[in-house]
Amino acid sequence: MRQYPLTFNEFKQGLQDGKLLGLRCLDCGTVVVPPGAVCTSCGSSKFERDSFARKGTIRTFTVIRVGPEGFQPPYVVAMVELRDGPYIVGNLVGIEPEKASLDLIGKSVSVGARIVPPESPEGGVEGMAFAFELE
Amino acid sequence: MREVVVLGVGMTKFGRSEHSMKEMFSMAALEALEESGLESKDLQALFIGNVLGGFEEGQMNIAPFLADEIGMRHGAPATRYEGACASATVAIRHAALMVGSGVYDLVMAGGAERTTIMGTPLATKTFAMGSHSEYERFTGITFPGIFAMVAHQYCAKYGIALADLKMSMARTAVKNHHNGTLNPLAHFKKEITVETVLNGPMIADPLQLFDCCPFSDGAAAIVLADAAKFKNKVRTPVYVAGTGQGSAGSTYRQKDLTRMAAREAAVRQAYDQAGIGPSDVDVCELHDCFTIAEVVALEMLGFAEFGQGPAAVDRGDTSLTGRIPINPSGGLKAKGHPIGATGAAQAYEIVKQLRGECGERQVNGAKIGLVDTLGGDFSTVCSLVLRRD
Ligand SMILES: [Zn+2]
């Protein structure tokens, strides 16, 4: 049986330990964060694990005013380009949603995460959401 | 591939319905069969789009129950296709491919959805299940939110002022609502103004209420057949001239949300198979789940240069009498969006347009039509080119 190179649970534990774990493709050097089964550039499955910079740049965002059941709007969702190349989607925290404007695009952020407990004791999984803070 | 002909189409009124999904689909299906001059026992297979049946009516495995409901003989296969909002178009494409390749001679495709019984909180929660469940869902991202991020990224990429983009978006809503007033089956039949859009409550910045399509109930169906054997059964044969489908990863894997690889691949396949280009298209039903979605779709489908979608809207290119009429039905915005039925309703509209049966919203002389349906965070997109002689 093949091994999955870096599982969701391992990645999530890394975030809880203050690390942004990921994969570097041994064939083309592409960084894959969050992890996947194969390189997003060349399709290779030859990886080394590493810990990557928790830094990035906001590429787009929105303020959610009507959220799914269980969320408390307003809150900001942003897409960030990590310093090592991959994009991730997370919440921009530590900012008044009313102050969010197009000026946010291009701003530098640090990358952390919020761990979300399972929906009920009977079922569901512990989840995670990336959390960004303006530098 | 053999030539595939449309023998009949049917559709329910979109909006809030007291009917069950089985009842709605039956109404659409029997209408399509009646147009075809055929009976359900003649159908060799059923291809159904449905997304949230399990949450809506607690109904899984809906396809065989729908087949039985409309009187298909037991033994004929019925399959549900799920590609979020593109489900019915994916179902139609696979039906057309099966007929084209000679597996079947006569089939039905379509979709049914009953979103409104969920109520808005459960509906937004289940819709959001279309986002990546490990790495995006717990941010509380919503579909309006994803397209809101498209709008902001579009402004940054092309250096366009948000106020200007929002004006083009608002004009798109006004146009689709106008078209909806001309469609007896539309969810909303009410003219709105640019001010209506710009004064609405904010849903996901910069999208306001009237930038968003509604949740609707509804069903639509289409009968497809081998043209050599069946085209003499219909007065104005409409052919499936090309189909295409593409996939892509979730939002964070796609990076540039103003360019959707799945859509660009899907429409290219459909155009190539039909031997046409965008300038040959006379009428188009595209996936305007949000106003910004229509603006950027114009570019990816080849109706405007990249970065020029807003200008095309502002010129009136997309109105009923414009250079390329878009969403004469009212689109998802005004006709409504019963998720798993939407693509079949788009195909219904294009078939009716090509037959010249659309009354006040008829695009004069339309011979070639395009269906473009986008699923989820544009990770599934499916296209159909339909044409008449
Ligand atoms: Zn690689």
Side-chain angles (χ1 to χ4, degrees), chain A residues 8 11 34 60-69 71 75 77 79 85 87 89-91 105 114 119 127-129, chain B residues 121 124-125 134-142 145 148-149 152-153 156 162 202-205 251-253 255 257:
Chain A
F8 173 69
F11 181 75
T60 187
F61 75 97
T62 182
V63 183
I64 303 289
R65 309 277 176 178
V66 179
E69 215 171 26
F71 288 84
Y75 51 90
V77 174
M79 186 160 73
Y87 280 42
V89 170
N91 295 113
I105 295 178
R114 178 173 58 92
E119 262 183 276
M128 56 75 55
Chain B
T124 50
K125 178 180 178 172
E134 281 85 27
Y135 295 119
E136 287 182 350
R137 178 159 61 107
F138 290 105
T139 64
I141 190 64
T142 60
M149 293 203 293
H152 280 157
Q153 200 173 13
L162 183 58
M202 195 64 85
I203 303 297
D205 303 23
T251 317
Y252 68 92
R253 292 288 195 213
K255 299 187 176 182
L257 307 184

Side-chain angles (χ1 to χ4, degrees), chain A residues 35-54:
Chain A
V38 298
C39 172
T40 50
S41 293
C42 77
S44 168
S45 55
K46 287 194 222 102
F47 285 124
E48 63 177 3
R49 289 194 191 195
D50 205 345
S51 177
F52 294 95
R54 293 165 47 199

Side-chain angles (χ1 to χ4, degrees), chain B residues 66-383:
Chain B
L66 294 180
D68 184 56
E69 179 76 28
I70 65 171
M72 286 176 62
R73 62 184 172 77
H74 287 188
T79 310
R80 169 186 164 193
Y81 286 76
E82 195 269 296
C85 316
S87 297
T89 315
V90 172
I92 293 170
R93 173 169 185 263
H94 284 80
L97 292 174
M98 290 273 208
V99 173
S101 59
V103 176
Y104 303 119
D105 290 334
L106 178 64
V107 304
M108 178 178 283
E113 201 79 52
R114 192 182 180 196
T115 60
T116 66
I117 51 169
M118 289 191 291
T120 300
L122 179 59
T124 50
K125 178 180 178 172
T126 54
F127 269 41
M129 289 179 185
S131 283
H132 197 289
S133 59
E134 281 85 27
Y135 295 119
E136 287 182 350
R137 178 159 61 107
F138 290 105
T139 64
I141 190 64
T142 60
F143 282 113
I146 289 170
F147 282 87
M149 293 203 293
V150 173
H152 280 157
Q153 200 173 13
Y154 191 94
C155 287
K157 179 175 180 178
Y158 294 110
I160 174 173
L162 183 58
D164 292 342
L165 179 60
K166 284 188 59 111
M167 191 57 82
S168 304
M169 289 158 55
R171 288 184 179 119
T172 300
V174 170
K175 183 263 295 177
N176 286 346
H177 269 268
H178 171 71
N179 293 354
T181 65
L182 308 176
N183 183 353
L185 299 181
H187 189 157
F188 296 130
K189 288 193 279 285
K190 189 180 78 172
E191 298 280 359
I192 61 166
T193 64
V194 164
E195 289 70 36
T196 318
V197 184
L198 296 178
N199 292 330
M202 195 64 85
I203 303 297
D205 303 23
L207 303 186
Q208 292 169 264
L209 182 63
F210 280 84
D211 288 300
C212 307
C213 71
F215 302 133
S216 313
D217 305 329
I222 183 166
V223 176
L224 300 177
D226 171 37
K229 293 196 185 76
F230 285 93
K231 75 174 181 188
N232 294 332
K233 288 192 77 74
V234 278
R235 199 158 25 93
T236 313
V238 170
Y239 302 93
V240 181
T243 74
Q245 186 183 335
S247 299
S250 56
T251 317
Y252 68 92
R253 292 288 195 213
Q254 298 191 44
K255 299 187 176 182
D256 181 353
L257 307 184
T258 70
R259 299 288 300 265
M260 302 166 186
R263 170 180 266 149
E264 293 177 32
V267 77
R268 175 53 51 204
Q269 290 166 39
Y271 284 156
D272 286 352
Q273 194 185 339
I276 65 161
S279 61
D280 298 310
V281 176
D282 300 310
V283 58
C284 172
E285 286 279 309
L286 63 74
H287 202 83
D288 62 318
C289 45
F290 303 96
T291 50
I292 183 64
E294 177 160 328
V295 175
V296 297
L298 295 176
E299 301 173 1
M300 287 177 268
L301 301 180
F303 302 136
E305 297 293 319
F306 287 100
Q308 298 300 314
V313 171
D314 296 348
R315 277 197 306 269
D317 284 6
T318 59
S319 73
L320 277 180
T321 53
R323 185 173 58 81
I324 172 67
I326 302 289
N327 290 329
S329 70
L332 281 61
K333 180 74 199 75
K335 180 181 57 190
H337 184 28
I339 330 167
T342 280
Q346 292 175 308
Y348 171 98
E349 176 71 11
I350 294 295
V351 168
K352 293 276 187 184
Q353 287 283 349
L354 299 184
R355 289 184 190 156
E357 296 174 354
C358 285
E360 283 183 282
R361 67 178 196 282
Q362 179 65 44
V363 174
N364 285 329
K367 288 184 74 169
I368 295 180
L370 177 69
V371 169
D372 158 85
T373 328
L374 173 158
D377 47 3
F378 18 101
S379 43
T380 299
V381 184
C382 195
S383 316

